[in-house]
Amino acid sequence: MNIKPLADRVLVKPAAAEEKTVGGIIIPDSAKEKPLKGEVVATGNGTKEEDMVVKPGDSVLYGKYAGTEIELEGEQYLIMRQSDILAII
């Protein structure tokens, strides 16, 4: 992949949505919730006011409506500001 986020932006690959419940019920596509965690793929250099804390390979939690969905090479990604990330797990 040849994409480099600018400033304090981060490229995240969302985790796959759950296919089954704990009880074994299969969840249809229309009822699946958007995942709230993912893996950092690429980061920008940060800004003068904010250093980059996350790095590629980190697993992160982010807000439900964080980021902008993009598609690269057939894969879904989110691009968001570092401040939209809630935690590194």
Side-chain angles (χ1 to χ4, degrees):
M1 177 184 346
N2 196 11
I3 188 166
K4 176 73 173 156
L6 299 176
D8 65 339
R9 290 186 174 75
V10 178
L11 185 68
V12 176
K13 180 168 177 56
E18 295 293 323
E19 299 287 330
K20 286 185 182 181
T21 64
V22 176
I25 298 172
I26 298 174
I27 303 172
D29 287 338
S30 60
K32 289 182 184 171
E33 288 193 26
K34 214 171 123 177
L36 300 177
K37 66 180 179 177
E39 182 179 344
V40 176
V41 177
T43 63
N45 293 328
T47 62
K48 289 180 184 177
E49 296 83 30
E50 185 174 5
D51 292 332
M52 291 305 287
V53 176
V54 297
K55 58 188 179 304
D58 285 348
S59 292
V60 294
L61 297 175
Y62 50 87
K64 189 169 191 170
Y65 302 106
T68 302
E69 294 180 355
I70 58 173
E71 184 173 337
L72 295 170
E73 300 172 358
E75 296 281 335
Q76 292 292 326
Y77 294 94
L78 288 170
I79 191 159
M80 64 184 73
R81 292 191 178 276
Q82 178 176 250
S83 60
D84 292 336
I85 294 174
L86 304 174
I88 299 172
I89 52 175

